[in-house]
Amino acid sequence: MATKCSFCGSTAYGPGCPSSINGLHQHDTNGEKRCIYCGSSSYGHGCLQTPTRVHIHGHGANKCIYCGSINTGMGCKHSPHGGHEK
């Protein structure tokens, strides 16, 4: 079953969402398992759907959305501010 954009309900990824602020489809229903912008299970650099090219996962399982670590505080090399975000 395909996931849907949280804003418009489309199964598409990437640009073209008429309802999101940044115009990108976001699939938050996968929790921490997949990037909300492209659907990849990868963390870090490589997302072709965001301007920063960094995969951002949904929240869940007490993992950082940028790197997948369970650590807290500073030290996330993929976060724009350097800190782990859950």
Side-chain angles (χ1 to χ4, degrees), residues 13-80:
Y13 282 97
C17 180
S19 303
S20 75
I21 292 173
N22 61 7
L24 298 172
H25 294 288
Q26 295 180 33
H27 296 238
D28 292 332
T29 56
N30 287 320
E32 81 288 351
K33 295 179 181 165
R34 303 252 175 220
C35 175
I36 63 174
Y37 292 107
C38 73
S40 171
S41 61
S42 297
Y43 283 96
H45 295 283
C47 181
L48 300 178
Q49 305 303 338
T50 63
T52 60
R53 299 295 189 239
V54 173
H55 294 289
I56 302 172
H57 286 232
H59 298 278
N62 201 30
K63 292 182 177 182
C64 175
I65 62 172
Y66 297 104
C67 71
S69 171
I70 59 170
N71 292 332
T72 58
M74 299 305 285
C76 178
K77 65 181 182 180
H78 301 296
S79 166

